[in-house]
Amino acid sequence: MDIKDIAKLAGVSTKTVQRVLNDSQHVKKETREHIQHIMSEHNYYPNVSARRLAKKKTQTLGLFIVQDPKKDNIYADDFFYSSVISQMITSAGDRGYKMLVTTTSVEDASPILKLYREKSIDAGMIISWSDIQETVDKILDYGYPVGVFDQNNLPERMEKVPVPELLNKESAFEATRHLISLGHQLIGIIAGEATNQAALERLEGYTSAMARAGLEAGPYYHGTFVEASGEEAVRSWISEETLPTAIFCSNDEIAVGALKALKQHDISVPDQVSLMGFDNIKITEYTTPTLSTMHVPRVEMADHLVEQMISQAEGSESVKKKYFTASLIERGSTAGPRRKKDSSD
Amino acid sequence: MDIKDIAKLAGVSTKTVQRVLNDSQHVKKETREHIQHIMSEHNYYPNVSARRLAKKKTQTLGLFIVQDPKKDNIYADDFFYSSVISQMITSAGDRGYKMLVTTTSVEDASPILKLYREKSIDAGMIISWSDIQETVDKILDYGYPVGVFDQNNLPERMEKVPVPELLNKESAFEATRHLISLGHQLIGIIAGEATNQAALERLEGYTSAMARAGLEAGPYYHGTFVEASGEEAVRSWISEETLPTAIFCSNDEIAVGALKALKQHDISVPDQVSLMGFDNIKITEYTTPTLSTMHVPRVEMADHLVEQMISQAEGSESVKKKYFTASLIERGSTAGPRRKKDSSD
DNA sequence: AACTTTATTGAAAGCGATAACATAATCGGC
DNA sequence: GCCGATTATGTTATCGCTTTCAATAAAGTT
């Protein structure tokens, strides 16, 4: 049952049938209705492959989830990106686009390029924990549209690559300001990797908030965005006896690690130490105490990226930059300094 | 740059080029290499849409994530299914299949059927929290291959629909046995919805383990697979003074709820009450104490389903049933009864 | 009523692969 | 050195939709 059959049955040309399919003008109302009737009666659906071939458009976006060699699973147990991914799929669907999802490794960009070249997708988006500048460059060299959802910024050729941007500095400022407003004076920070732009910006935000409040910067720990860093930071501060009364953790995983280490040393959160996270991943609601954090509007960011990619797929050249800000979520891990005195110090 | 251009450049017919593309026999080594050389030099990739049209196969699977009307997000923050989904994508990719992922509502099956009818996919899989018998039936009526990943069993026409099955009864037996072996005698169960086959089977497993050990069944709470049920169960038992020394929670979410309620009443886990979950979702590692649970091999189950669907897509009619068993994971929420006596009773 | 417009419809040539069928070249075996 | 059996290669129709260009019908103008 193809378009010709329908045309024959309706006593019109295929062109006319095609006109009603594409909901276009220039078809008499009666003709349209007649054809529509026949189509639904015979349960006709146009063949997508044929249409794609003729139109040279796929109405499909590619989503490339880059496997981090250091993690064994992909986004499976990642609390941040899973909601991003699900939103992207929904956003694309809402706009009439299909989403082809693939998992790939960082080293080999060829499976990604293949999808573009064999015309399986009109545009693609990369979600990654690692540096993918090289892959992005290759895609751009071929002239295909690509966007990135990543918290590590891509410094080069950004003007062509949509990347929803979080105002890390402003958001970290706000997080720190919250701790300050609770009355803390000695506030430390556990920062993420120095190669990561977001980590640096969050550090800046902290620094400027402290400066603005006339406070001296507290102890600083240079770690990475993982639990272990939080644990290490706390342990080293305890052994050096420089543990502050409040800690701004550059992301929630670090905060979870810090919380673990504090518990092990029987230091109460938030009574003795307040903990502030960043990202608002799901587990922050399950720890004891629950973690105060900065909510990153990742759903909105994902939606915006999809929108950008579709408009590029449809020919637009411009990239509309949009900036997002994280919002404060107060939970159980932050309070004023030294509410109780259970132990020494 | 299409197959004709390559053929012309290589001085052969398109058929010959097509032969080397499809890696087929009957091509002289020199010819093959010559053609391959030209292809890579000109960066040629066969157009997938054209191939699909001609072959009438898409080499693509559909993944339908059915939105639960009761939950606001899709699989985003679902700890169980996110790893299933990611594994499915990877498994399909490993077998040379693409994965088209869509989110849909339960009420309207038409977007799913559309994908089949317009020939966007060869086979599909449904992930759902709700009952989807109707949708599955419709798909089967049209004769398309469909598989399901769901913990609610589908009683009808199962012989045609691959569904990786967990041996719930056996696994629940094992969970209960674990509590018994720790020395507990008074063991309660918080069960999931009675309409859910998995919930019933887990209940059976519990019952038979108790019987086998010569123990009387403990208090029973009929709830649903959500945190709130765990909380309610514990509260009602406390007020009735029937709180057992160990509780088998039919899934981890219930266990998390139970843990919350116990904490609120200052009842120590596992010192006063042991808690056993089921599923092994990620948060079980983040609660205090961490939750003992039964690990459901969902990654293996997902892989098996994908394998089944691909073989159906390629013409196989038979459904190979495979059964999976959950395995015990001991964490911090289970211990022998009454190790300490902190409070009364 | 003759003449523009404008709205509807159609014929046929692609789009870029696949595949059935036919044909030419090569290779042993005796 | 001839013949059947393989092995290589080519011709061409087809998959089902889109699209350019042209043609016809209906409606509006003065």
Side-chain angles (χ1 to χ4, degrees):
Chain A
M1 179 95 320
D2 64 359
I3 199 172
K4 277 187 191 162
D5 298 321
I6 299 292
K8 204 167 289 175
L9 286 167
V12 298
S13 74
T14 63
K15 178 61 195 169
T16 304
V17 175
Q18 190 236 358
R19 283 203 183 88
V20 346
L21 269 178
N22 294 26
D23 190 63
S24 69
Q25 320 302 313
H26 308 299
V27 182
K28 216 196 291 174
K29 198 182 169 195
E30 305 162 27
T31 320
R32 180 196 348 273
E33 284 170 355
H34 180 215
I35 294 176
Q36 282 172 334
H37 180 246
I38 292 188
M39 291 198 304
S40 77
E41 188 172 316
H42 291 265
N43 230 307
Y44 167 75
Y45 271 73
N47 181 304
V48 155
S49 305
R51 171 175 287 175
R52 285 182 172 192
L53 178 58
K55 275 206 169 164
K56 303 190 172 197
K57 289 272 176 188
T58 65
Q59 292 263 113
T60 304
L61 298 181
L63 179 54
F64 314 116
I65 300 161
V66 178
Q67 164 87 302
D68 186 335
K70 281 168 286 180
K71 304 197 180 190
D72 32 313
N73 41 28
I74 326 248
Y75 67 93
D77 295 321
D78 184 90
F79 298 104
F80 188 84
Y81 285 112
S82 59
S83 54
V84 169
I85 291 165
S86 110
Q87 182 59 41
M88 284 179 168
I89 294 169
T90 307
S91 293
D94 290 349
R95 294 182 168 84
Y97 269 69
K98 302 192 169 71
M99 187 76 100
L100 203 56
V101 187
T102 320
T103 55
T104 37
S105 69
V106 213
E107 303 88 39
D108 189 10
S110 64
I112 297 184
L113 282 168
K114 181 163 179 275
L115 288 179
Y116 281 105
R117 295 205 280 220
E118 67 182 22
K119 301 275 175 285
S120 280
I121 56 172
D122 294 337
M125 293 170 295
I126 304 181
I127 285 192
S128 173
W129 292 255
S130 337
D131 179 40
I132 43 152
Q133 183 69 47
E134 225 179 295
T135 303
V136 170
D137 280 343
K138 268 190 200 154
I139 298 173
L140 289 177
D141 286 346
Y142 280 97
Y144 298 119
V146 60
V148 172
F149 199 114
D150 196 337
Q151 292 179 284
N152 307 309
N153 282 339
L154 295 174
E156 298 159 39
R157 297 222 254 175
M158 284 275 285
E159 69 287 351
K160 286 191 150 193
V161 182
V163 182
E165 263 185 86
L166 184 72
L167 291 173
N168 281 295
K169 188 176 169 189
E170 288 76 355
S171 305
F173 184 97
E174 174 69 9
T176 312
R177 202 202 47 70
H178 169 59
L179 293 172
I180 294 171
S181 75
L182 287 171
H184 291 278
Q185 310 234 347
L186 191 53
I187 304 172
I189 178 170
I190 309 177
E193 34 272 78
T195 53
N196 183 308
Q197 194 169 336
L200 296 178
E201 290 170 4
R202 290 177 194 176
L203 177 57
E204 271 184 66
Y206 156 84
T207 310
S208 78
M210 294 298 276
R212 179 78 54 91
L215 296 173
E216 246 177 85
Y220 162 87
Y221 187 88
H222 165 87
T224 60
F225 280 143
V226 298
E227 274 183 50
S229 282
E231 298 186 45
E232 287 158 21
V234 166
R235 278 201 213 98
S236 78
W237 285 341
I238 289 176
S239 72
E240 293 166 2
E241 300 190 342
T242 54
L243 191 66
T245 66
I247 306 175
F248 171 43
C249 306
S250 298
N251 81 350
D252 287 334
E253 293 191 40
I254 290 177
V256 167
L259 180 58
K260 266 190 195 164
L262 289 169
K263 273 189 183 167
Q264 276 164 12
H265 287 82
D266 276 323
I267 296 170
S268 159
V269 176
D271 299 333
Q272 291 168 275
V273 173
S274 280
L275 233 39
M276 183 76 201
F278 200 109
D279 278 353
N280 192 26
I281 62 179
K282 191 79 175 171
I283 40 171
T284 53
E285 297 172 40
Y286 290 90
T287 54
T288 309
T290 53
L291 279 173
S292 297
T293 188
M294 298 300 294
H295 171 72
V296 173
R298 43 190 178 280
V299 164
E300 293 78 5
M301 291 166 82
D303 183 69
H304 179 247
L305 179 56
V306 168
E307 193 191 323
Q308 290 276 296
M309 292 325 296
I310 290 180
S311 91
Q312 285 212 3
E314 292 176 351
S316 154
E317 292 278 320
S318 67
V319 171
K320 241 185 285 165
K321 268 253 151 293
K322 192 167 170 186
Y323 296 95
F324 298 86
T325 320
S327 53
L328 177 66
I329 301 216
E330 279 192 71
R331 294 214 184 84
S333 65
T334 46
R338 305 194 195 176
R339 291 196 304 175
K340 298 182 197 172
K341 272 212 169 185
D342 294 45
S343 56
S344 60
D345 186 0
Chain B
M1 177 99 317
D2 66 357
I3 199 173
K4 278 186 191 163
D5 299 322
I6 299 293
K8 202 166 291 175
L9 287 167
V12 298
S13 74
T14 63
K15 179 64 193 165
T16 304
V17 175
Q18 188 226 82
R19 282 202 184 88
V20 344
L21 270 180
N22 295 22
D23 189 64
S24 69
Q25 319 301 312
H26 307 300
V27 181
K28 215 196 293 176
K29 198 181 166 194
E30 305 161 27
T31 319
R32 177 189 356 268
E33 285 171 353
H34 180 215
I35 293 176
Q36 282 172 334
H37 179 247
I38 291 188
M39 289 198 305
S40 76
E41 188 172 315
H42 291 264
N43 231 306
Y44 166 75
Y45 271 74
N47 181 304
V48 156
S49 304
R51 169 176 287 175
R52 285 183 171 191
L53 177 60
K55 277 205 169 168
K56 303 190 172 198
K57 290 271 176 187
T58 65
Q59 293 263 112
T60 303
L61 299 181
L63 179 52
F64 313 116
I65 300 160
V66 177
Q67 165 86 302
D68 186 336
K70 282 168 286 182
K71 303 198 180 189
D72 33 312
N73 42 28
I74 327 244
Y75 66 93
D77 296 321
D78 184 272
F79 297 104
F80 188 83
Y81 285 111
S82 59
S83 54
V84 169
I85 291 164
S86 110
Q87 183 58 40
M88 285 179 167
I89 294 169
T90 307
S91 292
D94 290 349
R95 293 182 169 83
Y97 270 68
K98 302 192 169 74
M99 187 75 98
L100 204 55
V101 187
T102 320
T103 56
T104 38
S105 69
V106 214
E107 305 87 40
D108 189 12
S110 63
I112 297 184
L113 282 168
K114 181 163 181 273
L115 288 179
Y116 281 106
R117 295 206 282 222
E118 67 182 24
K119 301 275 176 288
S120 279
I121 55 173
D122 294 337
M125 294 170 295
I126 303 182
I127 286 191
S128 173
W129 292 255
S130 338
D131 180 40
I132 43 152
Q133 183 68 47
E134 225 179 296
T135 303
V136 170
D137 280 343
K138 268 191 200 154
I139 298 172
L140 289 177
D141 287 345
Y142 281 97
Y144 299 118
V146 61
V148 173
F149 200 115
D150 196 336
Q151 291 180 284
N152 308 309
N153 283 338
L154 295 176
E156 297 158 40
R157 297 222 255 173
M158 285 276 286
E159 69 287 353
K160 286 190 149 191
V161 183
V163 182
E165 263 185 85
L166 184 71
L167 292 173
N168 281 294
K169 187 175 167 188
E170 289 75 357
S171 305
F173 184 97
E174 174 69 10
T176 312
R177 202 202 48 69
H178 169 60
L179 293 173
I180 294 170
S181 76
L182 287 171
H184 291 278
Q185 309 232 347
L186 190 55
I187 304 173
I189 178 170
I190 308 177
E193 34 271 81
T195 52
N196 184 308
Q197 193 168 335
L200 296 177
E201 289 171 4
R202 289 177 194 177
L203 176 57
E204 271 184 67
Y206 157 84
T207 309
S208 81
M210 294 299 276
R212 178 80 53 90
L215 295 173
E216 246 176 84
Y220 162 85
Y221 187 87
H222 165 88
T224 59
F225 280 143
V226 299
E227 275 183 48
S229 283
E231 297 185 45
E232 287 157 20
V234 166
R235 278 200 212 100
S236 77
W237 286 340
I238 289 175
S239 70
E240 295 165 3
E241 299 190 345
T242 54
L243 192 67
T245 67
I247 306 174
F248 171 43
C249 305
S250 298
N251 82 348
D252 288 335
E253 293 192 38
I254 291 177
V256 167
L259 180 58
K260 267 190 195 165
L262 289 169
K263 274 190 184 168
Q264 277 164 13
H265 287 82
D266 276 323
I267 296 169
S268 158
V269 176
D271 298 334
Q272 292 167 275
V273 172
S274 281
L275 232 40
M276 184 76 200
F278 200 109
D279 278 353
N280 193 26
I281 61 179
K282 191 79 176 174
I283 41 171
T284 55
E285 296 173 40
Y286 289 90
T287 53
T288 309
T290 51
L291 280 172
S292 297
T293 189
M294 298 300 294
H295 172 72
V296 174
R298 44 190 177 281
V299 163
E300 293 77 5
M301 293 166 81
D303 184 69
H304 178 247
L305 180 57
V306 168
E307 194 190 323
Q308 290 276 296
M309 292 325 298
I310 289 180
S311 92
Q312 285 212 5
E314 292 175 351
S316 156
E317 293 278 319
S318 68
V319 171
K320 242 185 282 164
K321 268 253 148 295
K322 192 167 171 186
Y323 296 95
F324 298 85
T325 320
S327 53
L328 177 66
I329 301 215
E330 280 191 71
R331 294 213 183 84
S333 65
T334 48
R338 307 196 193 174
R339 291 196 304 178
K340 296 184 200 171
K341 273 211 170 190
D342 294 45
S343 54
S344 60
D345 186 356

